[in-house]
């Protein structure tokens, strides 16, 4: 695929580490003007050191108003990747209200908040925008000790479809990518234990977890005009896990 995002202003959330960080670097390589947002400034600073063309924004997405102000400052945005996420894991009977609220605030409510501002501006400017939400295989399949996370990703898929339905008329496409396990900091949290990871690997027809680059490729495709007739889909990047 020949991809060039020259002239495009692209916001990536959760860009301090993991999938979002590699995505930000890739989009900058494709000549996009990248805005990398996440919570911890120290990670963002190392990203800036790696590619000085990337603008960094340190915001706690749990804070609705601070997030809105930060996003309004960087408008216009042509492409948006809602990638930031948290995973609070544990038995259903032990998880707390605090963990529930944090997960829903970061994984779901922040997507609603940011996308509302950015798509509103896209509509005013009459541009063909593209939004990609990073969901998970956990939106469809229940995973042990992942009840809040699964619920949040189920909400991400439905929000994605609802946004696609209402924003399609303005030529704004909205899709999600739904990866299996990727060995980032978050992936290690749930799957470092070889016993647990083997039981998951046994359910993946391709017999391995996803590489960060494989998730980035899917996001780039959905952002780009190469997917110009695709909206409202949840694209598994899961080695066939959801096919079984
Ligand atoms: P990660 O390495 O833990 O990175 C998560 C990013 O989100 C970090 O940059 C983090 O900021 C940011 N973030 C978290 N809470 C935030 C907040 N309150 N405000 C601002 N930024 C916040 O995770 P990852 O594996 O790359 O995950 C990226 C996305 O992929 C998530 O939506 C996740 O649910 C999804 N996903 C991951 C896997 C997996 O196995 N890894 C599988 C399926 C889907 P800091 O840098 O400041 O910590």
């Amino acid at each position: 695929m020949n991809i060039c995002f020259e002239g495009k202003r692209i916001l990536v959330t959760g860009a301090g580490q993991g999938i979002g960080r590699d995505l930000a670097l890739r989009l900058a390589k494709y000549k996009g003007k990248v805005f990398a947002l996440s919570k911890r400034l120290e990670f963002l600073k190392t990203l800036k050191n790696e590619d000085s063309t990337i603008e960094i924004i340190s915001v706690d997405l749990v804070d609705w108003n601070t997030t809105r102000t930060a996003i309004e400052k960087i408008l216009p945005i042509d492409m948006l990747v809602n990638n930031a996420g948290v995973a609070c894991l544990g038995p259903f009977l032990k998880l707390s209200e605090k963990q529930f609220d944090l997960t829903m605030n970061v994984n779901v409510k922040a997507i609603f908040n940011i996308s509302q501002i950015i798509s509103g501006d896209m509509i005013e400017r009459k541009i063909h925008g593209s939004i990609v939400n990073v969901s998970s295989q956990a939106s469809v399949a229940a995973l042990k000790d992942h009840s809040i996370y699964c619920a949040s990703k189920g909400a991400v898929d439905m929000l994605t479809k609802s946004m696609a339905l209402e924003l399609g008329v303005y030529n704004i496409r909205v899709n999600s990518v739904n990866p299996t396990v990727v060995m980032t900091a978050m992936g290690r949290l749930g799957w470092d234990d070889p016993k647990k990871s083997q039981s998951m690997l046994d359910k993946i027809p391709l017999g391995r977890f996803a590489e960060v680059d494989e998730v980035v490729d899917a996001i780039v495709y959905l952002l780009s005009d190469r997917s110009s007739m695709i909206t409202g889909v949840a694209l598994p990047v899961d080695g066939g896990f959801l096919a079984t």
Side-chain angles (χ1 to χ4, degrees):
M1 261 192 311
N2 227 350
I3 301 279
C4 181
F5 290 134
E6 197 161 11
K8 301 289 184 197
R9 292 167 64 88
I10 312 171
L11 171 63
V12 180
T13 72
Q17 50 177 325
I19 296 167
R21 185 187 181 95
D22 280 23
L23 176 66
L25 290 166
R26 180 87 77 83
L27 295 172
K29 208 171 112 198
Y30 293 146
K31 298 192 163 59
K33 178 66 197 168
V34 176
F35 296 84
L37 181 154
S38 66
K39 193 167 158 188
R40 281 177 283 183
L41 186 59
E42 64 264 32
F43 290 137
L44 288 169
K45 278 185 178 165
T46 64
L47 176 65
K48 181 90 183 162
N49 284 342
E50 220 174 317
D51 187 329
S52 61
T53 69
I54 296 176
E55 303 299 333
I56 57 172
I57 308 149
S58 167
V59 172
D60 184 350
L61 292 173
V62 169
D63 187 331
W64 175 274
N65 287 325
T66 310
T67 301
R68 282 188 100 81
T69 307
I71 301 301
E72 276 158 3
K73 275 192 196 147
I74 58 165
L75 293 176
I77 291 292
D78 305 300
M79 295 173 173
L80 162 65
V81 184
N82 287 305
N83 162 79
V86 293
C88 297
L89 307 182
F92 168 71
L93 292 172
K94 300 275 186 211
L95 288 165
S96 66
E97 181 189 15
K98 206 170 155 193
Q99 289 170 311
F100 186 91
D101 288 347
L102 172 68
T103 309
M104 291 300 170
N105 278 331
V106 177
N107 294 11
V108 186
K109 198 170 164 188
I111 296 184
F112 177 81
N113 190 11
I114 295 174
S115 303
Q116 211 178 41
I117 302 166
I118 287 180
S119 59
D121 176 69
M122 286 170 173
I123 292 166
E124 268 180 33
R125 292 186 296 125
K126 296 187 169 54
I127 66 143
H128 292 202
S130 181
I131 299 175
V132 178
N133 297 327
V134 181
S135 181
S136 168
Q137 64 182 11
S139 69
V140 179
L143 307 176
K144 192 166 177 292
D145 293 336
H146 282 66
S147 56
I148 300 176
Y149 184 76
C150 287
S152 75
K153 294 302 186 179
V156 169
D157 284 6
M158 207 54 220
L159 184 57
T160 302
K161 284 203 228 179
S162 304
M163 286 165 59
L165 175 67
E166 293 196 29
L167 299 177
V169 67
Y170 303 107
N171 277 309
I172 298 169
R173 297 184 300 109
V174 188
N175 295 290
S176 73
V177 296
N178 296 50
T180 184
V181 177
V182 189
M183 277 304 179
T184 59
M186 183 188 287
R188 286 192 291 277
L189 198 69
W191 308 102
D192 232 4
D193 172 1
K195 250 199 200 153
K196 271 194 198 167
S197 66
Q198 193 53 54
S199 73
M200 173 55 73
L201 285 166
D202 290 343
K203 295 180 196 149
I204 300 175
L206 292 185
R208 61 178 179 83
F209 294 147
E211 299 297 331
V212 170
D213 259 357
E214 292 173 317
V215 181
V216 168
D217 282 336
I219 297 170
V220 166
Y221 168 67
L222 288 173
L223 279 181
S224 79
D225 285 344
R226 295 301 170 114
S227 60
S228 52
M229 193 52 185
I230 299 177
T231 194
V233 306
L235 176 62
V237 185
D238 69 346
F241 173 82
L242 291 174
T244 59

